[in-house]
Amino acid sequence: QVQLAESGGGSVKSGGYLELSCSVSDNKFAPYSLGWFRQVPGKEREAVAALDSDGHTRFAGPLQGRSQIFEMEYENTLYLRLFNLKPEDTGMYFCAAGLGVLPYGSTIDESRFADWGQGTQVTVSS
């Protein structure tokens, strides 16, 4: 089981920027996928972005065009940069790991991610 721990959440004003990080245990082996998901109040958890060990990336939801995902393999850390944040982006952000590369297509299938972190809170004020 891969262990994950998120950090970097916090409170920012509308239009602000945050960089979330996720420490990933070193027992993941290619092929693998890593992803970011979020749960905003009153809604189900949704995908934000994902990447895989082949270098593919996917983005989803309202943060498309306002987010960047990348991995520093030598640090065993996954990052999510969030730009131009809006109050409706307020929520808990989770990172997750799964076996295998991302399947072909534009969607991010949450069911493919078996291991999850505890989440980090992002709060955006107007």
Side-chain angles (χ1 to χ4, degrees):
Q1 184 177 10
V2 176
Q3 308 294 320
L4 304 108
E6 303 91 340
S7 61
S11 297
V12 296
K13 290 192 176 296
S14 183
Y17 162 87
L18 277 175
E19 180 176 277
L20 309 182
S21 59
C22 173
S23 176
V24 184
S25 59
D26 60 3
N27 59 333
K28 72 178 193 309
F29 301 100
Y32 62 82
S33 298
L34 297 172
W36 284 97
F37 299 79
R38 72 177 188 179
Q39 186 160 22
V40 301
K43 295 187 177 181
E44 294 187 353
R45 189 163 59 190
E46 63 180 350
V48 176
L51 55 76
D52 65 27
S53 50
D54 280 357
H56 303 111
T57 57
R58 302 273 192 279
F59 296 87
L63 279 165
Q64 286 191 75
R66 298 189 290 122
S67 58
Q68 181 183 17
I69 186 172
F70 61 98
E71 179 188 19
M72 291 294 195
E73 291 187 63
Y74 67 96
E75 293 180 348
N76 287 316
T77 304
L78 176 71
Y79 293 91
L80 180 70
R81 288 176 172 167
L82 303 171
F83 306 94
N84 189 23
L85 284 162
K86 304 176 181 181
E88 52 264 42
D89 295 320
T90 293
M92 190 69 78
Y93 286 68
F94 302 88
C95 61
L99 296 175
V101 296
L102 297 170
Y104 181 79
S106 60
T107 60
I108 301 171
D109 183 356
E110 181 177 319
S111 68
R112 296 182 60 85
F113 293 82
D115 300 312
W116 292 78
Q118 295 298 308
T120 186
Q121 176 69 32
V122 171
T123 302
V124 185
S125 59
S126 57

